[in-house]
Amino acid sequence: AQSSVTVYGLLDMYMQYGKGDGTQTQIQSGGPQGSRLGFKGTEELGNGLKALFQLEMGINADTGASGQGGLAFGRQAYVGLSSNELGTLTLGRQYTPQFVTVDSYDAFATGTGSVAASGVVSAIARANNAVVYASPSLSGFTFTGMASLGESSTAGQKSFGNLYSASVNYAAGPFSAALSTILQKRSATTGEDAKYALVSSAYDFGTLKLYGLYQIVRNQGTVEANDRREAMFGVNVPVSAQGTVAGALGGSRISGVDGGSASQFSLGYLHNLSKRTRVYAIASRINNSSAATYTTTSATGDGPVNTVGGQDVKALMLGVRHAF
Amino acid sequence: AQSSVTVYGLLDMYMQYGKGDGTQTQIQSGGPQGSRLGFKGTEELGNGLKALFQLEMGINADTGASGQGGLAFGRQAYVGLSSNELGTLTLGRQYTPQFVTVDSYDAFATGTGSVAASGVVSAIARANNAVVYASPSLSGFTFTGMASLGESSTAGQKSFGNLYSASVNYAAGPFSAALSTILQKRSATTGEDAKYALVSSAYDFGTLKLYGLYQIVRNQGTVEANDRREAMFGVNVPVSAQGTVAGALGGSRISGVDGGSASQFSLGYLHNLSKRTRVYAIASRINNSSAATYTTTSATGDGPVNTVGGQDVKALMLGVRHAF
Amino acid sequence: AQSSVTVYGLLDMYMQYGKGDGTQTQIQSGGPQGSRLGFKGTEELGNGLKALFQLEMGINADTGASGQGGLAFGRQAYVGLSSNELGTLTLGRQYTPQFVTVDSYDAFATGTGSVAASGVVSAIARANNAVVYASPSLSGFTFTGMASLGESSTAGQKSFGNLYSASVNYAAGPFSAALSTILQKRSATTGEDAKYALVSSAYDFGTLKLYGLYQIVRNQGTVEANDRREAMFGVNVPVSAQGTVAGALGGSRISGVDGGSASQFSLGYLHNLSKRTRVYAIASRINNSSAATYTTTSATGDGPVNTVGGQDVKALMLGVRHAF
């Protein structure tokens, strides 16, 4: 009884046999893709102008809770206007351009097995109170910029909590490449700003697609930390009409902190039963240096429990994803 | 794949340049209308009888949270039966008749810029455990009554937390007028009951529509306070096929509390890009007496931070609303 | 604008005149059926195989909150694959086979008035991190088995928090019968496992349908308690094309705890205004032994407040249910 809204989503559930602090069997939500329920739509306004919106809830289907710490629409919530010539302007809770770039150049698309999902490669997924501008494609180039406001009213601290992110992407046939950056203003008076800068590229040979990404990070996330250099490489190989093999290798090197570095290797096979339904098997291994405690993770943030520095993590995931 | 439920909603987001404790730039959800996602439907049962329901979630699209303090369907959640001849009886979480009346006689419809949204004019929006009866129109008169139960089982305190509200509305061509009241039983043994009584009227001249409302309040909301006398006046002027100018002026006078009074003036322009999509600019100013700390507010309850008594507040809002 | 997902639900609201600690009038959500909003779908994959999913939110429509303690989809959240020949395998938050069996052999279907809703007959409704296998019907027999994982990684405690449940159902014309069981591993080191075992049967004479259920319980729910023997009997009588009378009688006997036993009697009339809309009146009475504090309850967990051991509870409920 309604034509202006599309209800959509997907459920992705898997069994995981993992080893961290100990061996562990888990039923998890959100493997290659986070389980979600969404509502979206567009309206043509004439003259190449349209209105658009999207509301997307993350779902921890293993427990019935909503994801992203219990938010109603923690994945995305925005509204905006789009012009064929001028680009798209949206307001709300949105993905950072940096995260979208990492996701696009990740053979595991920031899902389970991804070097970025485990945090070995750093990304800030979403930001509140955000304005995002996305340009139309200009000779293969697209630009995306975000300003997310901390909304401080305190004198001398007006920019605290603000986050800025931008990316430039270039695509020409099988080749694509991107530059992306984040500047996150500290909300505390003493902390230094977090800064991310990455370069990435991909090439689709038809028989396989290769991905590479290199990132320099200062004061990662919301805590003041030492410099990090991160890299990840990936490959997607279509092995049949229905099946794809994915592989990824990545690592981070932290200067100034002894034993904070880690590396990860993942291999997966995804088999499409239909366009909407897929089964998969993914194996991932993280080698933690003496002080690192990275673990593979689901979209709900649960992986094999790993609290002891230097302990390696292994995980085998068998699952199903159904989109609707 | 479903004909008995309508999925609907709207997203309303704006940028705000405000001044309260300090200057502040904000991205907010819920300007002229609160962002929402809803599910509703009716079923004809024959003989002029029908069943109806509505579930409506408030959305803070700037953060992805659900509104009204995190409720799944904090705006409305009710089911009921309706008869053409006998009227409509509904049970659930519902708007009070007093709020519906204030909303109907407010040039800003209790959205951003509204004298009632800031609290200068008092309203109690919703009540839990509520039965609402709405009469059919009788010679232009309609009656609505609500009983909301506190559900106390303690002897001598059975009515504590109960809320009663009623309104009578009269409409005849361009003229309409209403009386409305609230009686809120205190849940504590010592407090006195809160009582609201208002009279309002509107006249649509075609070239403009005028609104006026006057209310007497004792022990406003949930705290025992002194008497208040509140008034608000508004005008809507259609200036083109797509554009409307709205203006409002209102104030409250508190007896017995020094410096608790305040006044507010708002001016806005709303421009329809289509029936469903609108852009708008609204400016509002509140003059607080020495002890008052009112601020303009969004549907999420966030306005310019204002904590110092007597400080005036200014806000300029630029936004977009898309209904679906 | 979407054919692969069905939006459905129901709202069930009622007024209750109850007596527990004192007399009490309440507006409640979830009488004979819990109020809910759901999203579900199936996809044919060919060769008798299909994918299926369901997301179902419980709604406390009296307050607008989501049910099951605030979960987004606290009733059900699962995805799976189904084969005509091999059966159905689903992963997520799901009903236990024991609860489904109790529900099927309860004249009040675990709604208000049900001996199982009040807890006099024990049931564990749902489990997280669950794999459920449901067989196809084999000569009238169907088997359902669940393993719900506690996901512990602690050595020697790997099974803590696990829950296993299974049921076998037999149906032949008007006759049906079931066996069902639960084994719940304690999550604490000292507690003993909870064990449930039940046998149930029903016969549909056409003019009425009779139900019976008998259950032995050790260490009920999540606390270590003494042995319980529980029984409930019910009848559904179609008295007209639109009306059904329901009756239920049940009780529990606890060995080793003085005064922990209770019995309940319920009588209801449900009248269909249409296939989707129903009004109803239900009366229920619980006789508590000296230490028991059972109360009749809604799907939101609210009944007449009853905190004094040995106090009997009476409730009369008048309501409406509308499905969509």
Side-chain angles (χ1 to χ4, degrees):
Chain A
Q2 183 79 3
S3 63
S4 58
V5 54
T6 298
V7 182
Y8 71 95
L10 71 85
L11 282 172
D12 185 333
M13 295 285 301
Y14 62 97
M15 291 200 65
Q16 177 172 284
Y17 306 92
K19 189 177 175 312
D21 286 356
T23 60
Q24 199 174 0
T25 305
Q26 294 171 298
I27 305 281
Q28 297 284 20
S29 172
Q33 289 182 281
S35 298
R36 70 197 70 170
L37 174 69
F39 303 84
K40 65 182 176 184
T42 58
E43 182 194 18
E44 296 295 334
L45 298 171
N47 299 321
L49 194 68
K50 65 181 177 186
L52 72 168
F53 80 96
Q54 189 162 12
L55 290 168
E56 196 173 272
M57 171 188 284
I59 299 171
N60 300 357
D62 51 347
T63 63
S66 54
Q68 288 78 45
L71 292 173
F73 294 105
R75 289 179 62 91
Q76 299 184 77
Y78 66 79
V79 64
L81 295 171
S82 181
S83 150
N84 292 343
E85 288 178 14
L86 298 176
T88 302
L89 194 70
T90 46
L91 288 87
R93 176 173 168 88
Q94 299 176 79
Y95 286 111
T96 71
Q98 185 257 1
F99 180 82
V100 172
T101 304
V102 171
D103 187 76
S104 302
Y105 291 89
D106 180 347
F108 285 90
T110 63
T112 292
S114 159
V115 180
S118 64
V120 171
V121 163
S122 304
I124 297 179
R126 302 169 180 95
N128 291 339
N129 308 311
V131 187
V132 171
Y133 168 74
S135 79
S137 179
L138 301 165
S139 313
F141 285 93
T142 48
F143 168 81
T144 311
M146 163 187 274
S148 157
L149 304 184
E151 303 190 341
S152 168
S153 66
T154 309
Q157 307 187 354
K158 293 287 169 66
S159 70
F160 283 16
N162 286 8
L163 181 150
Y164 306 98
S165 178
S167 65
V168 178
N169 199 73
Y170 175 73
F175 175 77
S176 61
L179 297 172
S180 189
T181 185
I182 282 185
L183 170 61
Q184 191 180 23
K185 307 291 284 186
R186 288 284 185 232
S187 52
T189 42
T190 53
E192 291 191 37
D193 298 345
K195 294 171 189 169
Y196 295 45
L198 72 82
V199 56
S200 59
S201 185
Y203 198 93
D204 192 344
F205 293 93
T207 51
L208 58 83
K209 186 170 182 180
L210 290 178
Y211 303 91
L213 184 147
Y214 182 78
Q215 185 170 245
I216 298 173
V217 174
R218 285 191 179 226
N219 307 315
Q220 176 220 27
T222 52
V223 285
E224 191 169 0
N226 280 281
D227 295 358
R228 301 163 56 95
R229 284 160 194 281
E230 307 167 343
M232 79 178 170
F233 302 95
V235 61
N236 284 157
V237 188
V239 292
S240 70
Q242 297 178 298
T244 302
V245 167
L249 179 66
S252 69
R253 184 166 294 262
I254 303 185
S255 36
V257 175
D258 282 348
S261 302
S263 65
Q264 182 171 4
F265 174 69
S266 299
L267 191 65
Y269 174 68
L270 301 91
H271 186 83
N272 291 322
L273 298 175
S274 76
K275 223 171 168 181
R276 290 166 46 202
T277 305
R278 167 189 287 177
V279 291
Y280 57 86
I282 299 172
S284 189
R285 179 188 172 95
I286 296 178
N287 290 319
N288 284 304
S289 291
S290 59
T293 58
Y294 292 98
T295 188
T296 63
T297 188
S298 69
T300 69
D302 292 320
V305 173
N306 189 39
T307 59
V308 182
Q311 188 170 259
D312 295 346
V313 172
K314 297 173 195 171
L316 173 64
M317 296 146 265
L318 301 171
V320 59
R321 183 223 65 182
H322 175 68
F324 53 89
Chain B
Q2 183 77 2
S3 63
S4 58
V5 55
T6 298
V7 182
Y8 70 95
L10 70 85
L11 283 172
D12 185 333
M13 294 286 300
Y14 62 98
M15 290 200 67
Q16 177 172 282
Y17 307 93
K19 189 178 175 311
D21 287 356
T23 59
Q24 200 174 0
T25 305
Q26 294 170 299
I27 306 280
Q28 297 283 21
S29 171
Q33 290 182 280
S35 298
R36 71 197 69 172
L37 174 69
F39 303 84
K40 64 182 177 185
T42 59
E43 183 194 17
E44 296 296 333
L45 299 170
N47 300 319
L49 194 68
K50 65 180 177 187
L52 73 168
F53 80 96
Q54 188 162 12
L55 291 168
E56 197 173 271
M57 171 187 283
I59 300 170
N60 300 356
D62 51 346
T63 63
S66 54
Q68 288 79 44
L71 292 173
F73 294 105
R75 291 180 61 91
Q76 301 184 77
Y78 65 80
V79 63
L81 296 172
S82 181
S83 150
N84 291 343
E85 288 179 13
L86 298 176
T88 302
L89 194 70
T90 46
L91 289 87
R93 176 173 168 87
Q94 298 176 78
Y95 286 112
T96 71
Q98 186 256 0
F99 180 82
V100 173
T101 304
V102 170
D103 187 76
S104 301
Y105 290 88
D106 181 346
F108 285 89
T110 63
T112 292
S114 158
V115 180
S118 64
V120 171
V121 163
S122 303
I124 297 179
R126 301 169 182 97
N128 290 340
N129 308 312
V131 187
V132 171
Y133 168 74
S135 79
S137 179
L138 301 165
S139 313
F141 284 93
T142 47
F143 168 82
T144 311
M146 164 186 273
S148 158
L149 303 185
E151 303 191 339
S152 169
S153 67
T154 309
Q157 307 187 356
K158 293 288 169 63
S159 69
F160 283 17
N162 286 6
L163 181 151
Y164 307 99
S165 178
S167 64
V168 178
N169 199 74
Y170 176 73
F175 174 78
S176 62
L179 297 172
S180 188
T181 185
I182 282 186
L183 170 61
Q184 191 181 21
K185 307 291 284 186
R186 288 285 185 233
S187 51
T189 43
T190 51
E192 292 191 34
D193 297 345
K195 295 171 189 170
Y196 295 45
L198 72 82
V199 56
S200 59
S201 184
Y203 198 94
D204 192 343
F205 292 94
T207 51
L208 58 84
K209 186 171 183 181
L210 290 179
Y211 303 90
L213 183 148
Y214 182 79
Q215 185 171 244
I216 298 174
V217 174
R218 284 190 180 229
N219 306 316
Q220 176 222 26
T222 53
V223 286
E224 191 169 2
N226 280 280
D227 295 358
R228 301 163 56 95
R229 285 162 192 280
E230 307 167 344
M232 80 178 170
F233 303 95
V235 61
N236 285 156
V237 188
V239 292
S240 70
Q242 298 179 296
T244 304
V245 167
L249 180 66
S252 69
R253 183 164 296 260
I254 304 184
S255 36
V257 175
D258 282 348
S261 302
S263 64
Q264 183 171 4
F265 174 70
S266 299
L267 191 66
Y269 173 67
L270 301 91
H271 186 83
N272 291 323
L273 298 175
S274 76
K275 225 172 166 181
R276 290 167 46 202
T277 305
R278 168 188 286 176
V279 291
Y280 58 86
I282 298 172
S284 188
R285 181 191 170 93
I286 296 178
N287 290 319
N288 284 305
S289 291
S290 58
T293 58
Y294 292 98
T295 188
T296 63
T297 188
S298 68
T300 69
D302 292 318
V305 174
N306 189 39
T307 59
V308 182
Q311 188 170 259
D312 295 346
V313 172
K314 297 173 195 172
L316 173 65
M317 296 146 266
L318 301 171
V320 59
R321 183 222 66 181
H322 175 68
F324 53 91
Chain C
Q2 183 78 1
S3 63
S4 58
V5 55
T6 299
V7 182
Y8 71 95
L10 70 84
L11 282 172
D12 184 333
M13 294 285 300
Y14 63 94
M15 290 201 65
Q16 176 172 283
Y17 306 93
K19 190 179 176 312
D21 287 355
T23 59
Q24 200 173 1
T25 305
Q26 294 170 299
I27 307 281
Q28 297 284 20
S29 172
Q33 290 182 280
S35 298
R36 70 197 69 170
L37 174 69
F39 304 84
K40 65 182 176 185
T42 59
E43 182 194 16
E44 297 295 335
L45 299 171
N47 299 319
L49 194 68
K50 65 180 177 187
L52 72 167
F53 80 96
Q54 188 162 11
L55 291 168
E56 196 173 272
M57 171 188 283
I59 300 171
N60 300 356
D62 51 348
T63 64
S66 54
Q68 288 78 45
L71 292 172
F73 294 105
R75 291 179 60 90
Q76 300 184 77
Y78 66 80
V79 64
L81 296 172
S82 181
S83 150
N84 292 343
E85 289 180 11
L86 298 176
T88 302
L89 194 70
T90 46
L91 287 87
R93 176 173 167 87
Q94 299 176 79
Y95 287 111
T96 71
Q98 185 257 0
F99 180 82
V100 173
T101 304
V102 170
D103 187 76
S104 301
Y105 291 88
D106 180 348
F108 285 90
T110 63
T112 292
S114 159
V115 181
S118 63
V120 172
V121 163
S122 303
I124 297 179
R126 301 170 182 96
N128 290 340
N129 307 312
V131 187
V132 171
Y133 168 74
S135 80
S137 180
L138 300 166
S139 312
F141 284 93
T142 48
F143 167 82
T144 311
M146 165 187 273
S148 158
L149 304 184
E151 304 190 340
S152 169
S153 67
T154 308
Q157 307 187 355
K158 292 288 169 65
S159 69
F160 284 16
N162 285 8
L163 181 151
Y164 306 98
S165 178
S167 64
V168 177
N169 200 74
Y170 176 73
F175 174 78
S176 61
L179 297 172
S180 189
T181 184
I182 283 186
L183 169 62
Q184 192 180 21
K185 306 292 284 184
R186 289 284 186 231
S187 52
T189 42
T190 52
E192 292 190 36
D193 297 345
K195 295 171 190 170
Y196 295 45
L198 73 81
V199 55
S200 60
S201 186
Y203 199 94
D204 191 343
F205 293 93
T207 51
L208 58 84
K209 185 170 183 181
L210 290 179
Y211 303 91
L213 184 147
Y214 182 79
Q215 185 170 246
I216 298 174
V217 174
R218 285 189 179 227
N219 306 316
Q220 177 220 26
T222 53
V223 285
E224 192 169 1
N226 279 281
D227 295 358
R228 302 164 55 95
R229 286 162 192 279
E230 308 167 342
M232 78 176 171
F233 302 95
V235 62
N236 284 157
V237 188
V239 292
S240 71
Q242 297 177 298
T244 303
V245 168
L249 179 67
S252 70
R253 184 165 295 263
I254 303 184
S255 37
V257 176
D258 282 347
S261 302
S263 64
Q264 183 171 5
F265 174 70
S266 299
L267 192 66
Y269 174 68
L270 301 91
H271 186 84
N272 291 322
L273 299 174
S274 76
K275 224 171 166 182
R276 290 167 45 202
T277 305
R278 168 188 286 177
V279 291
Y280 57 86
I282 298 172
S284 189
R285 181 190 171 93
I286 296 178
N287 290 319
N288 284 305
S289 290
S290 58
T293 57
Y294 292 98
T295 188
T296 63
T297 187
S298 68
T300 68
D302 292 319
V305 174
N306 189 39
T307 59
V308 182
Q311 187 169 260
D312 295 346
V313 172
K314 297 173 196 173
L316 173 65
M317 296 146 265
L318 302 171
V320 59
R321 184 222 66 180
H322 174 68
F324 53 90

